[in-house]
Amino acid sequence: MAEADRATLTEAIQAYEQALQYQETFPIAAEIYNDLGNFYWLRSRRPDRPEQAYPDLEQALFIYQEAIATLGDRTAMPQTYAMIQNNLGAAYGDMARYRDLAKNLRHSIAAYEEALYYRTAENNALKYGSTQNNLGTAYWHLAQHENAPENLQAAIAAYTEAGKYYDPEGDPLNWAMIQNNLGTAYWNLSQHETRENHLRSAIDCYEKSSIYRTGENAPAACAATQNNLGTAYWHLTATDGLETIQKQDYLQRAIEAYQIATQLAHHLHRQTPPVKVNFNFLGTYNNLGLVCYQLGTEEQFSLSKSEKIHFLELALQAHLQTLNNVAQDSDSYQTALNYIIRTVRAFYKQGGIQGQNLALSQVPGQLLPQLLPNLG
């Protein structure tokens, strides 16, 4: 039913609403209410028009509450009660996108935590792990708006607990998803406290995720994790006390990760129809260019002239990829153009006029009128 279209969901809603008129057995009615709530929730994710989503979500929330009320004694059917609370948490999480963001996220967290009183690791390990993952995501979203360190720590605790109940060999993609989520929570926390330790934890999680999120079996997910990994390595280079050789190694690791992310995302973007990734891959091209520029220009690194030129060529190509895929009148275009100008100047600094000509030979001809006046 998760793949059903809106028309099919509407038919299911009508059938279940009719069934409720004749159902007087309370436990069965609670399950019918739960299914009906699910159909409304799924339909909210398939609106023909944006304004259709909110009413369906509102109805789903109402019906889940009716299911709980109909169930009566929650201890009589604890797994059904936990299932409804888990679904209620998902609906509140979606409702947060439309209004009362923090309030609805707190409702979502409360519902997931209530579910976990009855959905334990002992009675259903896999569903327990799934609800812990959902709880972690709700805390992560709330952390973007209030009490970031506290909510991120709660997200990390939930994701860590969830990961215990997924088998990386038997369910590799879900296990890898949780590791990616955990890495992102650590990365976010690194922006608030003990930066280096949390960044290293994030990198460890992303690298574990990458074992199973590959370009072959999950290209979009692999691209996302590699993008995250590249950013974590890049940020790690800004921590105090790093030896130059460590910093150079981390920058090169960031480049490798960003290259995988951009290559996969670019390939997916060119498919028919295009496959979306959940990050701005054109921004990642710029990040790739900036890391390559750093290696090609900073004197602290023990690189030969040819190696520096190599990294500058990579930087130039990365920024050109951004420039070629954004509107000419956009801020993104101007930003990429400025990076290209700076990179061409670095070619000149490393190789004189010969180096500059090497750079210009790789620039599309139609771009030269914009570029040349800025090189003096």
Side-chain angles (χ1 to χ4, degrees):
M1 184 56 69
E3 298 299 321
D5 60 23
R6 185 173 177 84
T8 303
L9 290 168
T10 300
E11 291 176 2
I13 287 169
Q14 293 169 349
Y16 271 72
E17 287 177 338
Q18 186 175 10
L20 281 169
Q21 298 176 19
Y22 303 100
Q23 182 53 250
E24 296 179 357
T25 306
F26 285 175
I28 296 176
E31 293 182 355
I32 294 174
Y33 272 120
N34 177 70
D35 290 345
L36 179 59
N38 289 343
F39 293 135
Y40 271 111
W41 174 70
L42 287 168
R43 197 173 72 169
S44 77
R45 293 189 158 197
R46 293 161 175 77
D48 293 328
R49 301 182 304 278
E51 64 271 16
Q52 291 176 322
Y54 178 80
D56 277 346
L57 269 176
E58 198 168 40
Q59 188 69 3
L61 288 170
F62 172 77
I63 292 170
Y64 287 139
Q65 296 288 4
E66 285 292 301
I68 291 169
T70 302
L71 191 62
D73 182 8
R74 64 194 65 175
T75 62
M77 297 182 68
Q79 294 311 302
T80 299
Y81 176 74
M83 173 182 65
I84 298 168
Q85 286 290 350
N86 182 75
N87 295 340
L88 188 62
Y92 272 124
D94 279 5
M95 182 65 82
R97 302 174 189 173
Y98 295 94
R99 60 185 63 183
D100 298 329
L101 186 147
K103 177 182 177 181
N104 280 311
L105 285 172
R106 286 192 290 270
H107 284 318
S108 177
I109 288 167
Y112 288 135
E113 289 180 336
E114 180 70 8
L116 288 166
Y117 280 116
Y118 299 90
R119 179 176 277 184
T120 66
E122 290 72 29
N123 62 36
N124 197 321
L126 190 57
K127 288 185 177 179
Y128 171 81
S130 174
T131 300
Q132 286 285 1
N133 179 60
N134 295 342
L135 177 62
T137 299
Y139 271 120
W140 183 87
H141 282 296
L142 187 58
Q144 311 311 303
H145 302 278
E146 62 180 39
N147 302 328
E150 177 183 344
N151 285 319
L152 287 169
Q153 289 284 11
I156 288 167
Y159 285 140
T160 301
E161 182 70 5
K164 298 176 184 177
Y165 298 94
Y166 283 85
D167 177 11
E169 299 301 326
D171 193 3
L173 291 182
N174 278 323
W175 185 85
M177 173 195 66
I178 292 170
Q179 291 303 313
N180 180 78
N181 292 347
L182 182 57
T184 299
Y186 273 120
W187 182 88
N188 281 157
L189 190 56
S190 76
Q191 310 305 298
H192 300 278
E193 61 184 40
T194 51
R195 178 182 179 86
E196 182 176 353
N197 290 340
H198 293 319
L199 281 173
R200 291 187 184 280
S201 294
I203 287 168
D204 181 61
C205 292
Y206 291 140
E207 289 185 333
K208 288 177 180 176
S209 181
S210 295
I211 296 172
Y212 300 96
R213 273 187 164 183
T214 68
E216 291 74 30
N217 67 10
C222 176
T225 296
Q226 290 294 331
N227 177 62
N228 295 340
L229 180 61
T231 299
Y233 269 123
W234 188 19
H235 286 200
L236 186 59
T237 66
T239 57
D240 296 330
L242 280 184
E243 295 182 1
T244 300
I245 192 168
Q246 284 182 304
K247 185 173 182 180
Q248 181 176 330
D249 177 57
Y250 294 153
L251 286 172
Q252 289 176 319
R253 288 172 184 260
I255 289 171
E256 291 170 4
Y258 279 148
Q259 285 177 325
I260 294 171
T262 52
Q263 287 166 6
L264 285 170
H266 186 76
H267 174 71
L268 292 169
H269 180 70
R270 291 174 63 87
Q271 290 186 9
T272 304
V275 177
K276 292 183 178 180
V277 293
N278 66 352
F279 63 98
N280 176 10
F281 75 93
L282 295 178
T284 302
Y285 269 122
N286 269 342
N287 289 345
L288 173 59
L290 292 172
V291 178
C292 292
Y293 178 88
Q294 195 173 347
L295 272 172
T297 57
E298 292 188 8
E299 296 299 327
Q300 61 181 296
F301 302 123
S302 300
L303 297 173
S304 66
K305 179 179 174 180
S306 63
E307 288 173 322
K308 290 181 178 181
I309 290 292
H310 169 69
F311 283 117
L312 288 176
E313 286 185 290
L314 292 178
L316 180 62
Q317 291 304 317
H319 293 314
L320 283 170
Q321 284 286 358
T322 302
L323 196 76
N324 292 336
N325 287 280
V326 295
Q328 191 166 348
D329 58 352
S330 67
D331 291 340
S332 297
Y333 184 95
Q334 189 58 51
T335 297
L337 180 62
N338 290 339
Y339 287 148
I340 289 169
I341 292 168
R342 187 178 69 163
T343 304
V344 174
R345 288 173 175 165
F347 269 93
Y348 179 80
K349 185 176 180 180
Q350 291 296 332
I353 193 65
Q354 185 178 1
Q356 179 175 293
N357 288 339
L358 174 62
L360 293 176
S361 70
Q362 300 176 38
V363 173
Q366 67 271 21
L367 187 60
L368 293 177
Q370 298 178 66
L371 194 61
L372 293 174
N374 293 285
L375 296 180

